[in-house]
Amino acid sequence: MSQHSADPAPTSALATVAAHRDWWRDAVIYQVYPRSFADSDGDGMGDLEGVRARLPYLRDLGVDAVWLSPFYASPQADAGYDVADYRAVDPMFGSLLDADALIRDAHAVGLRVIVDIVPNHSSDQHEWFKRALAEGPGSPLRERYHFRPGKGADGELPPNDWESVFGGPAWTRVTEPDGTPGEWYLHLFAPEQPDFNWDHPAVGDEFRSILRFWLDMGVDGFRIDVAHGLVKAEGLPDLGSHDQVRLLGNDVMPFFDQDGVHEIYRQWRTILDEYSEKEERPEGPSGEGRWWATGGRIFVAEAWTPTVERTAHYVRPDELHQAFNFQYLSTHWDADELRSVIDRTLDAMRPVGAPSTWVLSNHDVTRHATRFANPAGLGTQIRLAGDRELGLRRARAATLLMLALPGSAYLYQGEELGLPDVVDLPDEVRQDPAYFRGAGQDGFRDGCRVPIPWTREGSSYGFGDGGSWLPQPEGWGELSVEAQTGVAGSTLELYRSALAVRREHPDLGAGDAVEWLPAPAGVLAFRRGDFVCTANTGDKAVTVPAYGRVLVASAEPAVEGPEAELPADTTVWWAV
């Protein structure tokens, strides 16, 4: 296939990090799931030092920033999304000194660092919640969560009919200090994750302080977990449906996507803008090894909304910078469907002046190499392996299509290796809390969280010296970084080539529009200046114009004169 080579990235931070304020408008950001990325101490669990050691790999891959999933102190009831202390690093991942070193080293090699923040709920081991339980009914600490008396003669029924996203009621009844059954508390996810009451001023004060703590540490932004969930409808009204999970992302719910969340983010934006006016000066005369830039700190929202138009509300000029496009992630490999969601997204983001933010995989959904290996309509959590060869072919093509679109893009660790979901994990090793609760999410997120392979052989294929917290499948080594590096046509080299071209081509990256070109059925073709992208989503080869020189292709087109034969499930980038 066509390859694009680029010189190794220089180590000088001044040469590698763009100091322009709006770097995020066309950034490619790589999600690191720390427990599954690299293990430095051989305990089978990835850690911050492991991430730090692999920063040169991410630099050479060609991404602009790293987003780290939670590494805070946590009982790990939901893989760290149950935070007990927002200002501490969980010992399984290291220490605050390790976090500081990682941030500094990332900046030194030209990578920005985005960290997760989890404001919808805490751990039930958070000091506030433990004190709320210990102090009993009437405790001021209970006002910082949603404690309510139950319904029924003896308060034996939940306060309303809300259901947990993980299955079962969204309420758990507590045993009071005197041993009697007492009040109920709200948890939209696991019982170990009580929801904060954002109507209480102490909650807002605390999170503004947490933001400043990590900004002072040097982070470049925050990914906001459950950004759509902080505010609940007044009075916590019954929903009335007993199939609530199926409504998520399709309707505005009394506990999700309430308009009140936007005032919270306007307040947060003032903090980020304050820090974005600061300038970090380099140490030493050359600034070598010390990142510096004016401005550029960002928020990205995980906001599951019914429409891209409602997603756009989160990225108005005085709110957040980016919001994941889950409508795009949920779209099957179909030209008409893809064009429709692309147009709707660009049209929705243009009036608010925000970039579209594209994503195909993350730690909560089946990897797109497996989703595309299966028929449409199975959702974003799939237990079926499907046609592995077909899935990989489509995944490669889908990635090139995504990276050609205007705006920013997020990559999930291991997708650059073409990793599929591990769909046959034994039940006894699963750790997804949704797996253990009925009628909620499918609970198979562990399949996309299996530690990634770095080497062909060795303990856990180079992940670490002591195995891995989830078992890796046989043959994982042939998908490893070692096995694919320097191999023409490998998925890793495809990503490296595409990211190098995207960084260098003047018509790729930021923008808010595409020019659609005539194309056969099943084919998407669009122009951006002197760049053209053609994507064949069909199962047969088609003939398209040979627009110019091939820059990158997910599979080699056959070019003869003014025409080119585009193989099935293939995307080609052309320099016109």
Side-chain angles (χ1 to χ4, degrees):
M1 63 164 285
S2 174
Q3 294 290 325
H4 178 96
S5 61
D7 293 333
T11 57
S12 168
L14 297 181
T16 57
V17 175
H20 66 283
R21 186 179 303 274
D22 292 343
W23 66 274
W24 43 274
R25 289 189 171 275
D26 61 356
V28 177
I29 300 172
Y30 185 100
Q31 180 188 359
V32 166
Y33 194 66
R35 61 173 52 211
S36 298
F37 191 66
D39 172 21
S40 70
D41 58 10
D43 65 355
M45 185 71 65
D47 46 46
L48 296 184
E49 186 60 30
V51 178
R52 183 182 174 204
R54 299 292 187 178
L55 289 172
Y57 166 78
L58 298 177
R59 173 200 63 202
D60 295 343
L61 183 62
V63 299
D64 300 293
V66 177
W67 153 33
L68 297 167
S69 293
F71 49 78
Y72 308 114
S74 165
Q76 304 296 320
D78 185 22
Y81 282 95
D82 51 316
V83 181
D85 187 343
Y86 291 84
R87 297 178 181 85
V89 173
D90 195 284
M92 74 163 56
F93 296 124
S95 67
L96 278 175
L97 290 177
D98 294 322
D100 179 73
L102 192 161
I103 294 166
R104 289 175 178 270
D105 282 6
H107 290 163
V109 299
L111 295 169
R112 300 180 189 260
V113 178
I114 296 169
V115 298
D116 243 301
I117 190 165
V118 187
N120 179 71
H121 48 263
S122 73
S123 165
D124 62 354
Q125 298 305 302
H126 191 284
E127 190 60 32
W128 284 4
F129 193 78
K130 291 195 296 182
R131 285 177 54 195
L133 292 183
E135 293 174 6
S139 165
L141 271 298
R142 291 201 177 191
E143 296 176 6
R144 300 181 185 186
Y145 295 90
H146 294 278
F147 278 86
R148 296 289 189 277
K151 294 180 179 179
D154 298 310
E156 72 276 11
L157 300 176
N160 68 19
D161 66 356
W162 293 1
E163 298 172 1
S164 165
V165 175
F166 287 170
W171 297 89
T172 290
R173 196 175 193 184
V174 305
T175 299
E176 301 297 358
D178 64 2
T180 62
E183 294 182 315
W184 299 70
Y185 68 88
L186 176 68
H187 53 86
L188 292 179
F189 295 91
E192 297 88 351
Q193 296 169 289
D195 279 45
F196 284 116
N197 175 15
W198 273 86
D199 290 333
H200 196 290
V203 176
D205 290 345
E206 172 69 355
F207 273 91
R208 287 189 291 272
S209 173
I210 292 167
L211 292 177
R212 290 183 181 278
F213 178 88
W214 288 103
L215 289 166
D216 288 340
M217 284 275 287
V219 303
D220 303 288
F222 301 89
R223 176 264 191 185
I224 306 170
D225 184 62
V226 196
H228 54 303
L230 279 56
V231 172
K232 278 65 175 177
E234 186 176 356
L236 309 185
D238 284 339
L239 184 56
S241 170
H242 296 287
D243 200 9
Q244 295 176 17
V245 173
R246 292 186 180 274
L247 298 178
L248 297 178
N250 298 308
D251 291 279
V252 176
M253 312 287 275
F255 46 77
F256 280 162
D257 197 28
Q258 294 290 303
D259 291 338
V261 299
H262 300 290
E263 179 55 34
I264 296 169
Y265 298 137
R266 292 186 188 100
Q267 295 175 19
W268 286 17
R269 180 62 180 263
T270 63
I271 296 173
L272 224 60
D273 287 348
E274 171 191 334
Y275 277 82
S276 291
E277 294 301 323
K278 296 180 179 180
E279 184 176 89
E280 296 182 35
R281 294 292 181 180
E283 296 174 350
S286 68
E288 195 73 28
R290 179 76 164 107
W291 174 83
W292 72 294
T294 301
R297 292 166 175 84
I298 70 165
F299 289 118
V300 56
E302 182 210 28
W304 290 85
T305 66
T307 65
V308 290
E309 289 76 18
R310 287 198 68 87
T311 300
H313 293 171
Y314 290 79
V315 289
R316 288 176 286 203
D318 60 345
E319 295 189 42
L320 309 179
H321 299 78
Q322 299 178 334
F324 293 128
N325 188 341
F326 292 121
Q327 283 79 14
Y328 186 77
L329 180 149
S330 303
T331 302
H332 193 61
W333 182 239
D334 176 88
D336 292 339
E337 294 180 23
L338 287 164
R339 177 166 175 170
S340 176
V341 73
I342 291 167
D343 282 340
R344 293 200 318 272
T345 299
L346 296 174
D347 289 346
M349 298 299 158
R350 198 174 296 117
V352 297
S356 300
T357 303
W358 314 99
V359 61
L360 288 169
S361 287
N362 64 35
H363 65 291
D364 281 333
V365 300
T366 298
R367 290 182 177 276
H368 62 283
T370 296
R371 291 204 317 277
F372 292 151
N374 283 280
L378 298 182
T380 59
Q381 287 192 11
I382 301 172
R383 289 197 74 178
L384 303 174
D387 184 334
R388 164 72 178 139
E389 182 179 341
L390 173 66
L392 179 59
R393 190 167 67 242
R394 288 177 170 178
R396 289 160 55 97
T399 296
L400 285 192
L401 173 62
M402 177 183 76
L403 291 175
L405 295 170
S408 180
Y410 280 72
L411 309 178
Y412 177 50
Q413 66 177 43
E415 71 171 77
E416 76 277 12
L417 305 177
L419 296 186
D421 253 50
V422 180
V423 298
D424 56 355
L425 288 170
D427 292 348
E428 60 270 18
V429 306
R430 293 189 178 277
Q431 300 192 29
D432 183 351
Y435 181 75
F436 302 99
R437 293 171 63 86
Q441 287 185 342
D442 293 334
F444 301 112
R445 295 179 298 172
D446 294 317
C448 67
R449 300 175 177 183
V450 173
I452 67 174
W454 292 94
T455 59
R456 279 193 172 94
E457 299 177 349
S459 173
S460 66
Y461 303 106
F463 168 68
D465 294 332
S468 64
W469 67 281
L470 284 173
Q472 299 159 301
E474 292 185 13
W476 214 230
E478 291 309 306
L479 299 175
S480 66
V481 173
E482 179 186 37
Q484 296 194 45
T485 295
V487 177
S490 73
T491 301
L492 176 57
E493 293 301 337
L494 174 67
Y495 271 70
R496 286 173 170 165
S497 298
L499 292 173
V501 171
R502 192 179 194 275
R503 183 183 291 267
E504 296 171 6
H505 198 290
D507 293 314
L508 284 172
D512 63 7
V514 299
E515 176 192 350
W516 292 109
L517 303 174
V523 175
L524 294 173
F526 60 84
R527 178 191 295 268
R528 301 186 64 203
D530 292 332
F531 169 88
V532 167
C533 175
T534 54
N536 179 11
T537 69
D539 58 3
K540 293 181 174 58
V542 295
T543 299
V544 298
Y547 288 96
R549 177 171 56 91
V550 173
L551 291 169
V552 184
S554 65
E556 192 70 36
V559 179
E560 292 190 14
E563 293 184 333
E565 186 177 83
L566 201 61
D569 301 310
T570 294
T571 298
V572 177
W573 289 3
W574 309 84
V576 179

